[in-house]
């Protein structure tokens, strides 16, 4: 599904990712763990195509296609999704309009017809109810006045509506209380299928209690230094990064 | 100012003698004042952002009737009546009064002055050269009078079309009288071809006790046009004046609203959106004068400028001595789509009372990169994402049109403008 090969990324001419390789197969959930500043968010944003992150060498292959040069919206069209650590507030744009424009953008990229407003409403109501989001929040401006937990739930609703092949979730668990964490975890598990992959980026092990990863990577200073099974996350929690890596 | 220009306008005035009853003396007074003041330059404070060099250096003839009937713009919303002016002259055959005449009185300026010679005194000479020239050279306009208690739900549309009018001008003068408790929406539209014409409009309105006038101006003049417009409005007790000015067209435009709040609970909201394409300049000025206690005003302006485009806003609020319990707010935000774009903001407060609440805020910025990435990271292409952000940005400024289908039409116009400009940006 995703194959990152010897990736080097610079931000403002400072190298942040220093030769990182990663392969995720269909049906797998991977977790990348690491301290602040290890380059986790840079990696997530680079895979999603953010243009102020400069790839100096290496490549990103997605579903058998080199996407290194694709624009962000094209990568979404191919089936990627990035869940933001800090979802952006957009005053003046309603959540519904935002999601419908997004879904139809993806359908257009794939050469499919636009979804009618009625069909879309049906879809989004179901997805929002699954994630305990009220219709009122769908009508409000994107993320404006949402609490931290509501913003993350909103990310999960968007993911469910777009139904990506690969979801990269950047610190989706940060700032959540336990109920919100469970709801978000349910959303992630619902997206977990034989034909999808998930990459969780996190600080802490606690999300991994609810979403069991197949593979855990430890990232330090722009590189993956250790890879193991889910027990690696527990070990990290107990011993800390310095001892494990 | 060169004598040749003053002479040219004096010649025009001679040609107009006797055309509007009782007006000759007023015209001469206005022209004499104009001759001594001349056209303002950018050294003139109120004109610092609008350089009308073309007007200062070239005399503009009166517009003649066009060679062929011009195309009329499609309606923006359901209207109660449509009044059409072509090259500054009212066209009865192109207009549709609907049922308006059963509820209100609409008359061409000439008929009004014919019937009420004494009312020539109500014509405002105006305070700057542009207004003075309008007074000296006005040929046509309408007088709209809505009787007390009459409420007209659908907009009354006034379409101004200019065509084949290189270096020619239309000086139009409209008078609006809102009877006690009356309400109406005036939708003024300005369109034209690519000739280098000048439209100089002055609208006077009197909003009496408890009346509401909603005044929407949709300025979509041709690309080489100069558009100058002034609204001079007085509002009585409990009356409301809601203006929304949309500047989309012309090479240079300037709209000035001067509103006096004359009695208890008089209210004015003056909002505006300006979208300046390459090399265009759009200037909006508001002066709300709180003459009496307990009056309120609010101004919301949003502007967008593309490469070498310029938008400007000057918002002035004055509160007279003793006018306590006044509330006045003002918000200006400008978006620059290019490094060569320009935005100017000048809020001004002059307060001579001590128990008032006045606020103002102005910001100038670029499209938010984070928001753009967020939208595109959800599969929205960059052009659509930019368009969504610009539409959202300008939306606040036409929230008070009071008519959802009209607001949608304006929104669509803004979206269309943005589409054209994003495409141009990509081609460059």
């Amino acid at each position: 599904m995703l194959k990152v090969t010897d990736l080097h990324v610079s931000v403002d001419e400072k190298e942040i990712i220093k030769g990182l390789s990663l392969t995720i197969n269909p049906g797998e959930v991977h977790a990348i763990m690491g301290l602040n500043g290890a380059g986790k968010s840079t990696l997530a944003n680079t895979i999603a195509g953010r243009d102020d992150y400069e790839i100096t060498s290496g490549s990103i292959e997605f579903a058998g296609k080199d996407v290194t040069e694709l624009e962000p919206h094209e990568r979404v069209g191919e089936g990627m999704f990035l869940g933001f650590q800090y979802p952006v507030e957009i005053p003046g744009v309603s959540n519904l309009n935002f999601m419908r424009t997004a879904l139809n953008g993806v359908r257009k990229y794939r050469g499919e017809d636009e979804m009618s407003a009625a069909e879309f409403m049906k879809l989004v109501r179901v997805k929002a109810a699954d994630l305990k989001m009220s219709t009122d929040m769908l009508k409000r401006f994107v993320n404006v006045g949402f609490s931290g937990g509501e913003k993350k739930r909103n990310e999960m609703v968007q993911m469910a509506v777009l139904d990506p092949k690969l979801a990269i979730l950047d610190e989706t668990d940060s700032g959540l209380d336990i109920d919100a964490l469970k709801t978000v975890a349910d959303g992630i598990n619902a997206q977990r299928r034989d034909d999808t992959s998930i990459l969780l980026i996190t600080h802490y092990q606690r999300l991994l209690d609810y979403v069991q990863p197949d593979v855990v990577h430890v990232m330090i200073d722009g590189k993956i230094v250790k890879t193991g099974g889910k027990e690696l996350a527990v070990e990290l929690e107990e011993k800390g990064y310095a001892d494990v890596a | 100012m060169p004598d040749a220009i003053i002479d040219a306008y004096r010649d025009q005035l001679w040609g107009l003698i006797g055309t509007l009853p009782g007006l000759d003396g007023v015209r001469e007074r206005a022209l004499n004042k104009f001759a001594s003041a001349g056209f303002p330059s950018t050294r003139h404070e109120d004109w610092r952002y609008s350089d009308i060099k073309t007007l200062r250096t070239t005399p503009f003839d009166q517009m003649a009737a066009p060679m062929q009937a011009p195309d009329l713009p499609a309606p923006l919303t359901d209207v109660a009546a449509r009044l059409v002016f072509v090259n500054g002259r009212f066209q009865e055959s192109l207009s549709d009064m609907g049922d308006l005449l059963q509820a209100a009185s609409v008359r061409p300026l000439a008929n009004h002055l014919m019937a009420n010679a004494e009312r020539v005194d109500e014509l405002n000479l105006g305070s700057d050269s542009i207004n003075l020239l309008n007074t000296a050279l006005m040929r046509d306009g309408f007088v709209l009078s809505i009787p007390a208690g009459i409420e007209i739900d659908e907009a009354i549309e006034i379409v101004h079309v200019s065509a084949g009018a290189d270096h020619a001008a239309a000086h139009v003068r409209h008078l609006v009288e809102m009877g006690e408790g009356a309400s109406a929406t005036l939708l003024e539209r300005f369109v034209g071809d690519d000739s280098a014409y000048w439209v100089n409009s002055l609208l006077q309105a009197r909003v009496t006790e408890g009346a509401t006038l909603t005044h929407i101006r949709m300025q979509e003049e041709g690309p080489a046009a100069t558009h100058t417009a002034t609204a001079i409005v007085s509002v009585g007790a409990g009356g409301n004046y809601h203006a929304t000015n949309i500047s989309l067209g012309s090479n240079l435009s300037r709209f000035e609203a001067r509103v006096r709040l004359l009695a208890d609970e008089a209210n004015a909201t003056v909002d505006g959106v300006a979208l300046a394409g390459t090399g265009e300049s759009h200037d909006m000025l508001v002066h709300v004068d709180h003459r009496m206690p307990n009056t309120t005003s609010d101004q919301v302006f949003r502007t967008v400028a593309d490469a070498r485009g310029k938008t400007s806003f000057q918002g002035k609020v004055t509160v007279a001595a003793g006018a306590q319990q006044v509330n006045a707010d003002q918000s200006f935000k400008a978006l620059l789509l290019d490094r060569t774009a320009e935005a100017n903001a000048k809020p001004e407060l002059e307060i001579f009372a001590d128990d008032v609440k006045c606020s103002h805020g102005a910001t100038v910025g670029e499209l938010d990169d984070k928001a753009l990435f967020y939208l595109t990271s959800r599969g929205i292409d960059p052009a659509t994402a930019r368009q969504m952000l610009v539409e959202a940005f300008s939306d606040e400024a036409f929230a008070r049109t009071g008519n959802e289908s009209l607001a949608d039409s304006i929104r669509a116009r803004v979206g269309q403008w943005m589409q054209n400009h994003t495409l141009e940006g990509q081609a460059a």
Side-chain angles (χ1 to χ4, degrees), chain B residues 243-314:
Chain B
T244 306
N245 175 69
I246 318 283
S247 301
L248 289 172
S250 80
N251 182 250
L252 181 143
S253 84
R254 185 179 181 279
F255 170 61
E256 179 168 355
R258 289 187 220 128
V259 188
R260 287 180 309 148
L261 303 176
L262 298 177
D264 199 47
E265 290 189 13
N267 166 266
T269 61
V270 185
D271 300 340
V273 175
L275 308 176
T278 306
E280 294 173 8
S281 169
H282 298 308
D283 195 358
M284 299 187 284
L285 293 90
V286 183
H287 179 189
V288 179
D289 189 6
H290 293 260
R291 304 298 311 162
M292 296 300 277
N294 243 327
T295 49
T296 52
S297 69
D298 193 9
Q299 304 170 27
V300 177
F301 283 82
R302 299 289 178 266
T303 71
V304 183
D306 204 352
R308 288 182 292 112
K310 176 164 96 170
T311 63
S312 312
F313 169 69
Q314 300 187 59

Side-chain angles (χ1 to χ4, degrees), chain A residues 23-63:
Chain A
T23 301
I24 305 177
N25 297 309
E28 288 181 354
V29 173
H30 286 225
I32 292 186
M33 303 186 70
L35 295 171
N36 274 338
K40 304 189 301 295
S41 282
T42 303
L43 176 66
N45 280 281
T46 304
I47 297 173
R50 186 159 174 167
D51 69 355
D52 39 2
Y53 294 7
E54 193 199 346
I55 298 178
T56 51
S57 69
S59 68
I60 302 166
E61 219 176 88
F62 175 65

Side-chain angles (χ1 to χ4, degrees), chain B residues 129-427:
Chain B
S129 305
I130 296 284
N131 302 151
L132 292 167
L133 205 57
N134 178 288
T135 305
L137 303 176
M138 68 172 90
R139 282 196 306 181
D140 210 343
F142 65 84
V143 179
L144 169 69
S145 171
I146 314 281
I150 296 290
E151 295 180 11
I152 297 173
D153 294 335
E154 288 176 329
I156 300 165
E157 184 185 36
I158 299 105
V159 182
H160 302 86
V161 189
S162 302
D166 257 322
H167 290 100
H171 303 276
V172 284
R173 170 74 58 115
H174 301 313
L175 305 179
V176 180
E177 296 173 345
M178 303 294 296
E180 286 183 13
S183 91
T185 296
L186 207 59
L187 169 60
E188 277 197 281
R189 301 178 64 188
F190 299 87
V191 296
D193 67 5
D194 54 10
S195 58
Y197 62 88
W198 174 28
V199 165
N200 183 27
S201 147
L202 200 163
L203 181 141
Q204 292 177 231
R206 208 152 61 90
V207 180
T208 60
E209 192 172 336
T212 297
L213 174 65
T214 304
H215 181 199
I216 296 153
R217 292 174 33 88
M218 194 77 183
Q219 187 272 101
E220 297 177 284
E221 303 276 20
T226 300
H227 177 98
T228 54
T230 310
I232 300 175
V233 183
S234 66
V235 186
N240 296 290
Y241 174 64
H242 300 303
T244 306
N245 175 69
I246 318 283
S247 301
L248 289 172
S250 80
N251 182 250
L252 181 143
S253 84
R254 185 179 181 279
F255 170 61
E256 179 168 355
R258 289 187 220 128
V259 188
R260 287 180 309 148
L261 303 176
L262 298 177
D264 199 47
E265 290 189 13
N267 166 266
T269 61
V270 185
D271 300 340
V273 175
L275 308 176
T278 306
E280 294 173 8
S281 169
H282 298 308
D283 195 358
M284 299 187 284
L285 293 90
V286 183
H287 179 189
V288 179
D289 189 6
H290 293 260
R291 304 298 311 162
M292 296 300 277
N294 243 327
T295 49
T296 52
S297 69
D298 193 9
Q299 304 170 27
V300 177
F301 283 82
R302 299 289 178 266
T303 71
V304 183
D306 204 352
R308 288 182 292 112
K310 176 164 96 170
T311 63
S312 312
F313 169 69
Q314 300 187 59
K316 187 172 177 181
V317 171
T318 51
V319 180
Q324 309 295 1
Q325 303 290 324
V326 159
N327 252 322
D329 295 319
Q330 187 185 84
S331 153
F332 170 77
K333 288 184 189 167
L335 199 56
L336 305 178
L337 298 179
D338 188 275
R339 287 185 181 251
T340 59
E342 181 183 333
N344 304 293
K346 203 182 81 177
E348 248 182 295
L349 299 174
E350 272 181 29
I351 302 170
F352 298 102
D354 53 13
D355 185 14
V356 301
K357 248 171 73 183
C358 297
S359 71
H360 65 86
T363 63
V364 177
E366 296 172 65
L367 274 182
D368 181 4
D369 277 344
K370 278 192 202 134
L372 266 179
F373 178 58
Y374 192 59
L375 294 174
T376 55
S377 80
R378 294 295 177 260
I380 299 170
D381 67 79
T384 307
R386 284 162 70 90
Q387 193 182 326
M388 284 173 83
L389 291 178
V390 170
E391 280 182 46
F393 171 80
S394 57
D395 235 40
E396 283 175 282
F398 50 83
R400 285 191 284 226
T401 52
N403 176 327
E404 210 32 56
S405 81
L406 188 55
D408 280 345
S409 296
I410 298 172
R411 209 168 277 132
R413 284 292 202 283
V414 173
Q416 186 60 47
W417 183 90
M418 198 49 214
Q419 231 164 31
N420 294 342
H421 285 269
T422 313
L423 291 176
E424 278 172 25
Q426 281 174 345

